[in-house]
Amino acid sequence: YQTFTGDLKWDHNDVTYRILNYSPDMDASLIDDAFARAFKVWSEVTPLKFTRLYDGTADIMISFGKADHGDPYPFDGKDGLLAHAYPPGEGIQGDAHFDDDEYWTLGSGPAIQTRYGNADGAMCHFPFLFEGTSYSTCTTEGRTDGLPWCATTADYDKDKKYGFCPSELLFTFDGNSNEAPCVFPFVFLGQKYDSCTTDGRNDGYRWCATTSNFDTDKKYGFCPNRDTAVIGGNSEGEPCQFPFTFLGTEYSSCTSEGRSDGKLWCATTSNYDTDAKWGFCPDRGYSLFLVAAHEFGHALGLDHSNIKDALMYPMYKYIKDFSLHHDDIEGIQYLYGPKTGPDPTPPEPQFTTSSPIMPTKSTPSEKTTTVSTTVHVDPAQDACQIKEFDAITEIQKELHFFKDGHYWKISNKGERKGPFLISEKWPALPAVINTAFEDQLTKKIYFFAEKQFWVYTGNEVFGPRKIEKLGLPSNLDRVDGAVQRGKGKVLLFNGENFWRLDVKSQMIDRGYPRFTDSVFGGVPIDSHDVFLYKGFFYFCRENFYWRMNARRQVDRVGYVKYDLLKC
Amino acid sequence: WCLPLKSVYVTFPGDVIKNMTNTQLADEYLKRYGYIDVLQKSGLQAVVSNSKALKKLQRQLGLKETGSLDQTTVDAMKQPRCGVPDIRN
């Protein structure tokens, strides 16, 4: 392994990152997940922890770009140079850039996550059978609205499972339109457009208006790439046109004719000889996860290795079941040391029926240490029957639902576990709590019930204390919700008002309360719970939730029961 | 079915990857990834005959250290890779 001259490394273990923009090749949630998994590769073997920021400056700023993307090292079109990153430090140091002239996938062909339909966002399954015909790409067959779709199992005729594929007719991303679909035709600089365009931009990204007139409404979004879209060339994002004529010969599939590098290409109009519009055909693409894990190695201080099987070897190689090479582990542990201490999430207690020992409530004091006991809980209690939860919050990456002394957990994979007894894990707490949040930096968990709050650090509890001690008004009866804002700030909600708590000083910042609807327009002002989950703010009332994205736009309203609790 | 392939090569508009010769490819590669100090004033041919730089590249990439621009080395240069230079000048 090699490190950079002077062993450049971060001087703290809590490293932050921020994703500045997205590639049109994959759904944003797949890209988020690929980056999160790429960081996990390194956090699993070091004391490093990675926290995602949604605004401000993070240690590692991640972005996609094409050719000259603003630093002294332009990218080079498709293939060749895939990405680069800078060693740890201020400014551009530590940042990672990905060449968006590449076709980003999970390494084995188009990674298509469906939306809507009845498959809960499952991935397309290629090939799939539909009315006896096999399809290896999304299709508009069987529809009149022209929306491409796919089956999420091998046989749509049997299973009837399907979802819609990314297309500009279904949604756009980034821009200022809240993922609204394109409107065709739209007017831009007085000209009518019937499809996405790169006109008006110099970064090569395709966009469209989400109203019929961009000149007046200024509403736009970027167009996701369809799975049949070509890559690079001079028609990025356009679908192949079959058959097409090239040098007088007709082709009804991709060809490498006319190229010395053997790459498959197609025309995006019926006649290349007259129109010269073309692009490369979708191939297996490059695994964003693998390339990101390599670049993040640079961003943490590792240089290239000459071990061919090491992650830090400079050449790309797709590996299906990836694991870090010992050369990479030795390198990163040379910089940051090995991972210390037991895994932060203690094993779950085993249920027994022999002696239902009720937990004895420890006498509340400023500082207590709790001991877990084995208790008996009725697993048949169904969370899906609960209309309104006392509190909902994310703790250690799992969404927790609290109700009357019990709680349930939803894992990242959407598995629901529980019920568990609150008193088993947090014995100092009352049965009913109003809200809770986990401080992203210290991992301490704050619980609020009525006019009191507790702070758990592992098994140790601090409290109960009066919420007045935080600087909240004495007439405040309860805290309904809490949203972590990064940099040690947490917003505490109660009806029409919210306060900003500085977790370090344990005091409410000056200038609060503020009116909830002045900042969070469009959400109910009598939410019984407010929490942050996967980067979105959730405002709950009864069994509904209003979801607000980082740009403070309500982008979804749904049922807590189905979308969050996964009933 | 044994008709010879017509090998007519076309320059595609907007194709960032130009049909380089191996020597040009090697020149650009050795400079981009730090094997040749970009401030070196030697001419193009000097690059290829600069077997030291080629040996360094072959060592870094785990190839046979021939010091010459053999086909294996050219193929390696055409592989997709990370853009961070291998050697910092």
Side-chain angles (χ1 to χ4, degrees):
Chain A
Y1 64 86
Q2 290 180 96
T3 57
F4 292 104
T5 312
D7 288 345
L8 291 180
K9 64 182 285 265
W10 297 103
D11 58 5
H12 50 283
N13 282 346
D14 275 341
V15 177
T16 57
Y17 71 95
R18 180 179 166 196
I19 303 170
L20 294 173
N21 64 355
Y22 286 90
S23 164
D25 295 342
M26 282 204 308
D27 197 89
S29 58
L30 288 179
I31 292 175
D32 289 347
D33 179 67
F35 285 146
R37 285 185 294 120
F39 279 118
K40 194 161 178 284
V41 162
W42 300 108
S43 62
E44 281 186 345
V45 292
T46 62
L48 291 173
K49 287 190 180 41
F50 298 98
T51 304
R52 179 178 178 182
L53 298 187
Y54 292 85
D55 51 33
T57 305
D59 297 323
I60 301 176
M61 302 286 261
I62 302 165
S63 59
F64 290 88
K66 295 181 182 180
D68 181 2
H69 54 281
D71 68 8
Y73 304 100
F75 288 139
D76 60 352
K78 188 176 186 313
D79 302 315
L81 189 162
L82 304 181
H84 57 215
Y86 295 85
E90 291 303 314
I92 198 171
Q93 301 296 120
D95 291 0
H97 302 165
F98 296 83
D99 181 353
D100 221 346
D101 274 327
E102 310 305 343
Y103 182 38
W104 293 109
T105 67
L106 298 176
S108 51
I112 310 289
Q113 180 161 37
T114 62
R115 290 186 181 212
Y116 308 110
N118 63 2
D120 275 346
M123 305 287 277
C124 287
H125 187 288
F126 296 123
F128 65 88
L129 271 180
F130 170 57
E131 291 183 353
T133 302
S134 175
Y135 291 84
S136 56
T137 62
C138 299
T139 180
T140 56
E141 282 302 313
R143 300 194 62 85
T144 55
D145 54 17
L147 284 177
W149 66 279
C150 70
T152 55
T153 66
D155 189 345
Y156 175 78
D157 298 333
K158 183 167 69 61
D159 305 319
K160 298 285 186 272
K161 280 285 182 192
Y162 80 100
F164 290 98
C165 302
S167 86
E168 65 284 1
L169 302 178
L170 194 68
F171 69 93
T172 57
F173 67 94
D174 285 345
N176 65 0
S177 298
N178 241 14
E179 300 197 341
C182 298
V183 168
F184 296 121
F186 66 89
V187 173
F188 169 54
L189 295 181
Q191 190 183 328
K192 211 179 251 191
Y193 287 79
D194 288 320
S195 63
C196 298
T197 180
T198 57
D199 287 1
R201 300 190 65 84
N202 60 11
D203 57 9
Y205 281 91
R206 296 181 324 126
W207 66 280
C208 68
T210 54
T211 68
S212 59
N213 193 320
F214 177 81
D215 296 341
T216 53
D217 306 326
K218 299 286 185 268
K219 295 297 266 180
Y220 78 100
F222 291 102
C223 304
N225 277 351
R226 297 190 184 206
D227 64 318
T228 53
V230 296
I231 301 143
N234 61 3
S235 307
E236 167 101 25
E238 301 301 324
C240 291
Q241 177 66 50
F242 296 123
F244 65 89
T245 303
F246 171 60
L247 296 180
T249 304
E250 196 170 85
Y251 292 85
S252 54
S253 65
C254 297
T255 179
S256 60
E257 268 307 307
R259 299 194 64 87
S260 59
D261 54 18
K263 290 192 177 127
L264 291 173
W265 67 278
C266 70
T268 54
T269 68
S270 58
N271 193 322
Y272 176 84
D273 296 338
T274 53
D275 307 325
K277 297 295 269 179
W278 70 284
F280 292 110
C281 293
D283 49 22
R284 297 170 61 81
Y286 296 108
S287 161
L288 183 61
F289 160 70
L290 285 173
V291 174
H294 174 100
E295 299 307 329
F296 295 163
H298 286 314
L300 294 174
L302 282 182
D303 203 344
H304 282 151
S305 163
N306 61 7
I307 308 277
K308 276 198 174 175
D309 290 332
L311 174 64
M312 294 312 293
Y313 185 70
M315 302 319 215
Y316 172 85
K317 182 171 69 174
Y318 175 66
I319 300 163
K320 193 159 182 326
D321 299 314
F322 168 76
S323 64
L324 261 185
H325 188 276
H326 66 79
D327 181 65
D328 302 303
I329 296 173
E330 281 170 33
I332 201 74
Q333 290 185 347
Y334 166 76
L335 290 172
Y336 296 99
K339 189 177 180 70
T340 50
D343 192 302
T345 48
E348 289 300 324
Q350 295 307 307
F351 293 105
T352 64
T353 53
S354 55
S355 55
I357 303 170
M358 292 312 288
T360 52
K361 272 226 180 306
S362 55
T363 50
S365 70
E366 285 298 331
K367 210 168 177 142
T368 55
T369 301
T370 55
V371 174
S372 70
T373 53
T374 302
V375 293
H376 176 72
V377 173
D378 172 14
Q381 216 186 9
D382 184 3
C384 297
Q385 302 308 314
I386 296 173
K387 192 157 173 288
E388 184 175 308
F389 287 90
D390 297 335
I392 304 173
T393 193
E394 183 179 19
I395 296 173
Q396 289 163 10
K397 298 258 182 279
E398 292 184 308
L399 198 56
H400 285 54
F401 296 77
F402 296 88
K403 183 74 176 177
D404 295 339
H406 294 84
Y407 68 94
W408 290 259
K409 293 193 289 190
I410 302 289
S411 72
N412 254 343
K413 293 196 196 65
E415 290 149 345
R416 187 172 63 250
K417 289 181 265 182
F420 304 101
L421 263 181
I422 292 178
S423 56
E424 153 63 16
K425 183 138 185 172
W426 304 289
L429 298 185
V432 176
I433 62 168
N434 301 133
T435 197
F437 71 86
E438 179 183 41
D439 177 36
Q440 289 167 330
L441 283 175
T442 62
K443 299 304 173 198
K444 292 180 180 193
I445 306 174
Y446 291 67
F447 293 94
F448 291 80
E450 313 266 305
K451 286 179 169 280
Q452 295 179 315
F453 76 99
W454 295 256
V455 181
Y456 263 89
T457 311
N459 287 335
E460 285 189 16
V461 62
F462 197 68
R465 302 172 64 207
K466 287 194 177 2
I467 55 176
E468 277 169 63
K469 288 203 176 175
L470 296 173
L472 289 167
S474 54
N475 61 352
L476 187 69
D477 58 348
R478 55 187 274 160
V479 174
D480 286 321
V483 167
Q484 303 93 324
R485 291 299 293 137
K487 294 209 185 88
K489 304 288 186 187
V490 178
L491 304 183
L492 302 178
F493 290 82
N494 173 289
E496 290 182 341
N497 298 305
F498 73 90
W499 292 260
R500 190 174 74 187
L501 171 71
D502 182 283
V503 175
K504 205 169 178 187
S505 65
Q506 302 255 308
M507 279 308 282
I508 298 293
D509 287 340
R510 240 200 281 267
Y512 291 87
R514 297 174 65 185
F515 284 109
T516 303
D517 60 1
S518 69
V519 177
F520 302 96
V523 300
I525 53 171
D526 54 346
S527 303
H528 64 75
D529 204 350
V530 183
F531 58 93
L532 179 74
Y533 184 52
K534 292 193 173 175
F536 292 93
F537 309 122
Y538 285 79
F539 295 80
C540 299
R541 188 172 69 187
E542 292 166 4
N543 53 358
F544 293 101
Y545 69 84
W546 281 252
R547 186 179 87 168
M548 180 169 270
N549 63 25
R551 270 185 294 288
R552 306 272 173 70
Q553 294 148 338
V554 175
D555 64 359
R556 185 176 295 176
V557 177
Y559 288 94
V560 170
K561 179 176 175 178
Y562 298 118
D563 300 344
L564 296 175
L565 201 55
K566 307 295 179 192
C567 293
Chain B
W1 71 296
C2 59
L3 275 179
L5 272 181
K6 279 190 304 180
S7 17
V8 172
Y9 295 131
V10 172
T11 300
F12 288 79
D15 188 357
V16 174
I17 300 176
K18 300 177 201 51
N19 293 330
M20 291 183 193
T21 64
N22 287 346
T23 305
Q24 287 167 324
L25 174 69
D27 170 54
E28 189 177 308
Y29 196 98
L30 289 172
K31 280 178 183 163
R32 172 180 288 227
Y33 296 108
Y35 294 93
I36 293 280
D37 183 340
V38 287
L39 297 177
Q40 229 176 16
K41 291 286 173 274
S42 58
L44 190 64
Q45 289 309 317
V47 162
V48 174
S49 66
N50 185 344
S51 68
K52 211 169 102 209
L54 283 170
K55 262 193 183 162
K56 241 195 266 181
L57 165 77
Q58 287 157 345
R59 189 177 315 126
Q60 168 66 32
L61 300 185
L63 304 174
K64 200 165 161 233
E65 296 184 35
T66 62
S68 64
L69 191 58
D70 52 47
Q71 190 55 46
T72 309
T73 305
V74 170
D75 290 345
M77 288 179 176
K78 290 182 177 177
Q79 290 305 303
R81 58 159 290 159
C82 167
V84 173
D86 296 329
I87 295 176
R88 224 145 317 283
N89 287 316

